[in-house]
Amino acid sequence: MINNQEQFLALVDENPESIYCYHDLHNVEEQSTFFKHSHKKGQLMYVEGGTIQVEANKKTFFVPGNHYVWIPAGEIHGIYSNSKTVLMRTLYIPIKEDEKDYYSTMGVYPATDLLLQLLLHTKDWRGDIEESNRKLYPIVQAIKVLLPDFSKTPINFTIPKVKDQKLKEITQFLDDNLDQNIMLSDLAQRFDINERSLHRLFKKDTNISFIKFFTIIRMYKAIDYLSQKKYSISEIASKVGYSSIPTFSNTFYKVIGKRPSDYQRGAEILK
């Protein structure tokens, strides 16, 4: 990702009429971070490899490979990734006042074939693309115009943002031990809290149960492993705490809407 965040954001908004194009295709050896910020243009970010998380609206939006996130203009957000390889293709798009109704909702979506083909044309472009550029501008403008049609069915890849400090410690422990069969009673004993109180804390702070929370973060980690294409389905199941492949596959399907094998076969079209 960009080393000097402030300078990069200044470049993005320097020309208010241009569509700013940037592709981050570098391998990273440690966590990538784009700290909380906003920009005057809307942001289309397609994730071609690895996975990213976008924090905004008191939620964490999880964006796996072959999906994109739309971030409205002015939305305060942070971008994070633990994947060793993160491939992102980004367009920063100016949104006029009378267009805001069409481009005001943040969400994560599967990439359509048409969007991928349009993005394919931008893969070597960098910086401002202005209307005077008769070769490049029609491509990126087409992406903007078609975006509302591409974005009709958002995927519910979100995790509620944890606010309680004790619960932050607990959820970090869960994240570090996804391969373990952890029960609510185990957590209560480890963190010296009444089991019923811990159950209520999960519901109050995240609006979902402990079991659902733990299942979601396990499945999101499974997507991360799948996108790396280094592990078999059985290895991934074990890494996220499932001894039964059918149980893992069924749970993955319920949360994500696809079988793990279908996800693993997904091609990185823009490589």
Side-chain angles (χ1 to χ4, degrees):
M1 285 192 173
I2 301 299
N3 290 327
N4 192 319
Q5 181 171 319
E6 291 185 3
Q7 288 183 4
F8 175 73
L9 293 174
L11 288 174
V12 168
D13 283 331
E14 185 175 26
N15 184 341
E17 302 298 324
S18 74
I19 294 177
Y20 193 92
C21 184
Y22 179 78
H23 301 302
D24 184 358
L25 306 176
H26 300 289
N27 291 341
V28 294
E29 297 302 326
E30 56 188 33
Q31 185 183 54
S32 291
T33 302
F34 213 130
F35 297 109
K36 287 290 182 72
H37 65 284
S38 65
H39 27 74
K40 296 177 183 177
K41 297 176 180 177
Q43 180 177 359
L44 168 67
M45 181 163 55
Y46 170 75
V47 178
E48 185 177 323
T51 56
I52 65 168
Q53 297 86 45
V54 181
E55 287 192 4
N57 295 330
K58 299 180 180 179
K59 294 180 180 179
T60 298
F61 292 77
F62 185 87
V63 192
N66 299 321
H67 288 71
Y68 69 91
V69 58
W70 171 253
I71 304 171
E75 183 76 54
I76 297 174
H77 61 284
I79 300 171
Y80 311 93
S81 177
N82 289 316
S83 299
K84 288 189 176 181
T85 302
V86 183
L87 308 178
M88 291 175 290
R89 303 186 182 277
T90 305
L91 296 177
Y92 296 88
I93 302 173
I95 304 300
K96 297 178 182 178
E97 192 66 34
D98 60 355
E99 297 175 326
K100 286 188 176 179
D101 285 348
Y102 293 98
Y103 302 97
S104 61
T105 302
M106 184 166 175
V108 177
Y109 307 87
T112 66
D113 290 341
L114 178 55
L115 175 60
L116 292 175
Q117 291 303 317
L118 291 169
L119 283 173
L120 178 61
H121 288 281
T122 77
K123 70 185 183 71
D124 297 319
W125 302 351
R126 300 290 186 278
D128 290 309
I129 300 174
E130 301 180 74
E131 190 171 358
S132 58
N133 188 323
R134 295 185 178 182
K135 181 180 179 181
L136 306 187
Y137 190 80
I139 301 296
V140 291
Q141 178 66 9
I143 292 175
K144 174 185 176 179
V145 170
L146 292 170
L147 193 61
D149 291 326
F150 295 150
S151 308
K152 288 182 176 179
T153 310
I155 304 299
N156 188 27
F157 285 167
T158 61
I159 302 174
K161 188 172 177 61
V162 175
K163 299 176 284 295
D164 182 87
Q165 186 57 44
K166 172 68 78 173
L167 203 55
K168 286 181 180 180
E169 297 174 16
I170 292 170
T171 55
Q172 183 60 58
F173 175 79
L174 291 173
D175 200 50
D176 293 339
N177 295 276
L178 295 178
D179 60 332
Q180 302 298 314
N181 186 23
I182 300 172
M183 308 297 289
L184 187 65
S185 57
D186 300 327
L187 288 177
Q189 183 175 4
R190 173 176 284 272
F191 289 92
D192 193 26
I193 183 172
N194 179 272
E195 186 175 342
R196 184 172 294 180
S197 297
L198 183 55
H199 171 77
R200 287 197 296 263
L201 181 58
F202 262 101
K203 290 289 289 184
K204 179 181 178 182
D205 200 73
T206 68
N207 204 34
I208 58 177
S209 68
F210 156 71
I211 293 174
K212 187 172 183 179
F213 185 92
F214 196 26
T215 300
I216 288 173
I217 63 175
R218 278 174 155 175
M219 295 305 103
Y220 289 177
K221 187 60 180 178
I223 287 179
D224 197 359
Y225 287 132
L226 287 164
S227 69
Q228 295 175 35
K229 300 189 176 180
K230 295 192 302 185
Y231 307 103
S232 67
I233 300 296
S234 61
E235 287 175 322
I236 293 170
S238 178
K239 282 178 173 293
V240 296
Y242 287 82
S243 57
S244 165
I245 295 177
T247 301
F248 167 65
S249 180
N250 289 337
T251 304
F252 190 93
Y253 183 81
K254 287 178 182 178
V255 175
I256 307 301
K258 289 184 178 181
R259 296 288 176 185
S261 54
D262 293 333
Y263 230 101
Q264 196 170 52
R265 283 195 296 266
E268 293 178 0
I269 295 174
L270 297 184
K271 223 173 188 180

